[in-house]
Structures are given as C-alpha cells and as structure tokens.
C-alpha cells in the first residue's frame, strides 16, 4: 500500500474494548500494572507499555505511528509545540563548548533560542549564509554538534542545497537537522534529501485548521541513539510531551493533510501570479514563481509544489499597516496554513522584540507582509487584496 493509505488505516497498538473506529482519547496521567515485576519492566523500558503520560500515552503513540507510516522514519516523537520539538532536539545534541552552525534566516524564536537561551549555557551560535557552501565548510569544526536550518526559511523563503550540507555533515559525523514546517512530509522525502533529524511545527499544516499547538521530531535513524535519548532523557527530564486531546485533533488533521495541502499550495501559486498585476505591490516572493532565485533548487528538492506561504512588499511600513487594516476577508493573525487565509507584518510582530540591527541582519524588512493562503476561492482572496491596496491611496 502507498504511504497515504497506510497513514489513514494505521491500526491501534492494542484493540479497543468497544471497537471504536477512531483512536480513543486516553485522558489519563498514569497506568496500572498487574504486579511489581511488570511495573519494573515498564519503567525500565524492557517492555513497551505506558507508565506515565509525560513519556508515553496511547493516543499520542497512535499519532506518532501515523507520521511514521507517512515518513518511513525510524521513530517519531510528538511535543506540545514546534518550539518544544526544536528546543528538545538542540538540548539533546548540544553541550557547553559545542557550536551550532546555522543561518540568520529563520523563525524568530528559533533564532532567539540559539542566540540567547542556548548561549547562556555555553553553546556557541555560528551564523553564516547556508547557501554559501564554502563558508559553511569553514565554520564546521570538531566542536560542531550539528548544522541546523529551515528547508524554506520563514519568512525570507531562502532555500539551501541540502545535498551539499548533508555531505559536510557526513564528513564530520554530525547530524543535519532541518525544520520542514513550510512543506509537509507528505510531499517531501526528507531522508532522500540527506536530513538526519526533521523537526516540524505541527501547529501549522498538520493540526487541521489551527486547532492546536504541536511539534514533531522525526528521526531517520542515521544518527546513533538519537530518538532513544529523546525518549529516555529529554521527555523525562524536560516534560513537553504532546497531550492526548491534541494528538486526537492532530490525527484527524493528518488524515486530510494531503488534500488540504494540494488545494492551499495551488491557491498560493494562482494568487502569487495574479498579485503581480497590482502596481502597489513592488515584489511578490513565492518559490513557485519561475523567476524566483530559488525556484529551480526548490523544485529539485521539494517537487512541484511550493507551499502556501508567500510575501508581498509594499512601499513602506505605513502602506503595510494600512493594507492590513483594510483587509475584510483575510484575517489579521499570526500562524500559518490555517484553512483561513492570514496576513501579518513580521517586522513589527514576530520580529518586533528584536533590535533594528538584528532585523536588518536577518533581512526582515519593514515593507514585507506575510500571507498564509487558505482554502477559500482565489477570486475572493484576490479581490480582498486588491481592495485593501486600493483604499490606501
Ligand atoms: C511556527 C513555527 C515554529 C514554532 O512552532 P510553534 O508550534 O508555534 O511552537 C518553528 N518553526 C517554524 C518554521 C515555524 O513556522
């Protein structure tokens, strides 16, 4: 069977007492045992039975197994948010005296995690242009614990050559860790691209219409003992495992992910093309447009679809604020890949707490609006954008 079919029909770990067709939500903190020896076996990992929901829960395991069917991964671990998946991953591979080679182009909180939080514990952030392979090569040394990147950076939409970065990682025996939130794993084969550990904000495409926060670590088994360390050390000591109700909602989201993604990415491409006809927009950035500088590389790595995020540039910050204020259909909200289309001014919101100098170095411009394209009819979206631009004059 194909992956999508397997994902839909993933069976429960244990038969349900009532033959429920959907995975029941096991809202329990703890689990009872028949005797002391079985209890000891469960706690020491000699048998695969849940003992406490900080570490394992059948509803969450079911969600993880569905993602495993779709990715063919060695193991999948679900967290309370994308940031929890990212922070757990980096805390597992890093240590005082180690360094992380990464880029200035990334999600604001990941940037702050690496540059502020981890820096306090003696982990060095080595920032470079990951599209310049020679520059990356120079920065990696014996103390580098990983190369970390976003496959499509949010919101700059930069794409690096994953094969070339993976080759550097192989030579140094370190993992290539990638945040793949921008294009879901139903459409990209991360393992074939050389990614060792994939992290995802499942809040976005997977949750199924912005129902809940969640994050995933997807371990392709190429980095010895990684997921075992996450389960045996990080989940126990840090405690950010996904909750059963969220796993239930995201399981339902996962079942329609492929269908939603196809419509949203095709809407985004259609809209990106049409937005170029509006004179108030100085630039439309979308990887699906043939003249985007990363178009060919993105196509080679991620296939024909380019996701549902695009950015437009207007004259200045005032024009951006007025555009956002004039929107009637598209919602003024953060988040990505909701069923509804969303608009935000990243410089003053997600990147607002950063200094102007930091924003400049990250190429976060005052002129940029980020749009997440939903499931609406493209005609209506185009009309809303056109009217919101028109009334600003
Ligand atoms: C939203 C996002 C995150 C953080 O995920 P949360 O679920 O909000 O914690 C991380 N990386 C990228 C690329 C994102 O878009």
């Amino acid at each position: 069977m194909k992956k999508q079919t397997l994902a839909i029909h993933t069976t429960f770990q244990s038969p349900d007492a009532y033959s429920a067709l959907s995975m029941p939500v096991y809202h329990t903190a703890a689990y009872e045992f028949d005797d002391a020896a079985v209890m000891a076996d469960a706690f020491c990992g000699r048998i695969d039975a849940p003992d406490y929901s900080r570490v394992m829960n059948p509803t969450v395991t079911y969600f993880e197994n569905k993602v495993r069917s779709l990715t063919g991964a060695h193991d999948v671990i679900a967290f309370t948010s994308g940031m929890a998946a990212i922070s757990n991953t980096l805390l597992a591979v890093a240590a005082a005296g180690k360094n992380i080679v990464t880029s200035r182009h990334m999600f604001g909180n990941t940037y702050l995690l690496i540059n502020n939080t981890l820096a306090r514990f003696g982990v060095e952030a080595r920032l470079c242009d990951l599209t310049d392979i020679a520059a990356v090569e120079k920065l990696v040394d014996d103390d580098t614990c990983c190369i970390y990147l976003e496959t499509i950076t949010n919101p700059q939409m930069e794409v690096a050559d994953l094969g070339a970065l993976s080759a550097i990682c192989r030579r140094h025996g370190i993992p290539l860790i990638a945040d793949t939130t921008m294009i879901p794993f139903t459409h990209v084969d991360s393992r074939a691209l050389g990614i060792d550990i994939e992290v995802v904000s499942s809040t976005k495409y997977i949750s199924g219409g912005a129902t809940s926060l969640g994050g995933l670590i997807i371990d392709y088994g190429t980095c010895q003992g990684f997921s075992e360390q996450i389960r045996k050390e990080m989940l126990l000591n840090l405690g950010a495992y996904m909750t059963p109700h969220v796993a239930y909602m995201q399981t339902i989201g996962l079942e329609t992910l492929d269908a939603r993604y196809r419509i949203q990415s095709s809407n985004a491409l259609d809209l990106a093309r049409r937005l170029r006809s509006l004179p108030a927009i100085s630039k439309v950035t979308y990887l699906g447009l043939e003249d985007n500088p990363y178009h060919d590389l993105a196509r080679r790595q991620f296939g024909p679809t380019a996701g549902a995020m695009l950015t437009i540039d207007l004259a200045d910050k005032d024009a951006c604020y007025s555009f956002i204020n004039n929107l009637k259909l598209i919602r003024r909200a953060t988040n990505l890949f909701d069923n509804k289309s969303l608009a935000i001014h990243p410089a003053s919101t997600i990147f607002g707490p950063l200094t102007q100098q930091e924003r400049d170095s990250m190429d976060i411009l005052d002129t940029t609006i980020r749009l997440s394209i939903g499931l609406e009819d493209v005609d209506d979206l185009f009309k809303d954008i056109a009217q919101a631009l028109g009334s600003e004059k």
Side-chain angles (χ1 to χ4, degrees):
M1 276 189 289
K2 295 274 169 50
K3 288 191 297 187
Q4 182 62 19
T5 313
L6 283 171
I8 294 277
H9 292 282
T10 302
T11 50
F12 306 162
Q13 305 80 276
S14 307
D16 174 62
Y18 301 98
S19 302
L21 190 55
S22 292
M23 180 71 193
V25 182
Y26 287 97
H27 261 298
T28 181
Y31 306 82
E32 197 178 7
F33 295 92
D34 286 344
D35 59 49
V38 178
M39 200 168 178
D41 285 344
F43 273 75
C44 299
R46 289 187 289 270
I47 57 168
D48 203 16
D51 50 55
Y52 192 58
S53 287
R54 179 168 6 95
V55 187
M56 199 196 277
N57 174 283
T59 313
V60 184
T61 304
Y62 181 70
F63 174 59
E64 292 169 338
N65 285 346
K66 268 190 187 275
V67 177
R68 203 145 65 152
S69 300
L70 281 166
T71 55
H74 163 68
D75 199 3
V76 175
I77 304 138
F79 288 83
T80 50
S81 69
M83 284 318 301
I86 294 167
S87 55
N88 274 266
T89 298
L90 292 177
L91 285 165
V93 298
K98 296 283 182 187
N99 66 74
I100 296 170
V101 172
T102 186
S103 162
R104 280 186 181 81
H105 291 172
M106 64 164 83
F107 182 68
N109 289 111
T110 311
Y111 176 86
L112 292 170
L113 166 69
I114 294 174
N115 287 276
N116 296 2
T117 312
L118 290 179
R120 283 212 312 275
F121 294 88
V123 180
E124 184 196 347
R126 292 199 175 167
L127 304 173
C128 66
D129 175 358
L130 292 177
T131 66
D132 179 351
I133 297 301
V136 178
E137 189 92 62
K138 273 194 213 122
L139 281 188
V140 176
D141 63 17
D142 290 347
D143 290 323
T144 304
C145 63
C146 66
I147 295 180
Y148 182 92
L149 85 165
E150 292 173 11
T151 48
I152 298 174
T153 71
N154 175 8
Q156 305 87 352
M157 280 187 277
E158 176 187 271
V159 178
D161 183 335
L162 295 168
L165 293 175
S166 165
I168 297 176
C169 287
R170 289 282 168 285
R171 277 201 294 284
H172 289 268
I174 55 170
L176 179 63
I177 305 178
D179 178 335
T180 64
T181 302
M182 292 299 133
I183 298 194
F185 40 71
T186 42
H187 280 69
V188 178
D189 185 347
S190 295
R191 190 211 299 267
L193 289 171
I195 294 169
D196 298 295
I197 298 159
E198 181 173 356
V199 287
V200 185
S201 167
S202 60
T203 313
K204 312 291 165 57
Y205 279 119
I206 297 162
S207 72
T211 59
S212 47
L213 266 84
L216 291 165
I217 292 177
I218 303 172
D219 174 13
Y220 288 96
T222 42
C223 173
Q224 279 294 317
F226 175 76
S227 60
E228 291 74 14
Q229 184 192 359
I230 294 289
R231 289 195 184 277
K232 292 190 176 137
E233 179 188 350
M234 313 314 283
L235 285 183
L236 282 157
N237 296 352
L238 296 177
Y241 198 45
M242 184 176 271
T243 57
H245 191 70
V246 167
Y248 172 77
M249 290 190 283
Q250 300 213 349
T251 294
I252 294 172
L254 199 57
E255 290 181 357
T256 59
L257 169 63
D258 185 60
R260 283 184 288 112
Y261 177 75
R262 282 173 202 281
I263 297 174
Q264 285 178 256
S265 57
S266 118
N267 279 358
L269 177 60
D270 190 359
L271 194 64
R273 288 191 175 129
R274 287 162 72 170
L275 289 178
R276 298 180 129 183
S277 67
L278 298 174
I281 298 178
S282 58
K283 187 169 154 203
V284 179
T285 306
Y286 183 62
L287 292 173
L289 296 172
E290 280 81 7
D291 56 1
N292 180 287
Y294 299 110
H295 175 78
D296 293 339
L297 179 59
R299 213 180 156 83
R300 207 162 63 236
Q301 298 189 137
F302 315 132
T305 55
M309 179 176 88
L310 60 92
T311 62
I312 54 175
D313 279 85
L314 307 180
D316 51 27
K317 183 177 171 181
D318 286 346
C320 289
Y321 269 39
S322 137
F323 168 76
I324 286 191
N325 293 342
N326 288 337
L327 288 169
K328 293 194 167 92
L329 174 67
I330 297 175
R331 307 300 181 94
R332 288 175 281 274
T334 188
N335 203 10
L336 288 166
F337 319 132
D338 191 340
N339 298 336
K340 305 176 188 75
S341 293
L342 312 174
I344 192 166
H345 181 248
S348 63
T349 55
I350 301 166
F351 295 88
L354 275 61
T355 64
Q356 185 61 46
Q357 199 188 350
E358 279 176 307
R359 280 194 292 275
D360 290 345
S361 76
M362 297 170 82
D363 295 315
I364 302 297
L365 307 180
D366 261 348
T367 51
T368 307
I369 299 275
R370 186 184 82 182
L371 296 170
S372 168
I373 307 306
L375 292 167
E376 302 94 337
D377 190 289
V378 180
D379 285 346
D380 292 323
L381 295 174
F382 182 76
K383 263 189 234 156
D384 192 35
I385 293 172
Q387 71 76 24
L389 290 169
S391 47
E392 120 214 341
K393 292 191 189 93

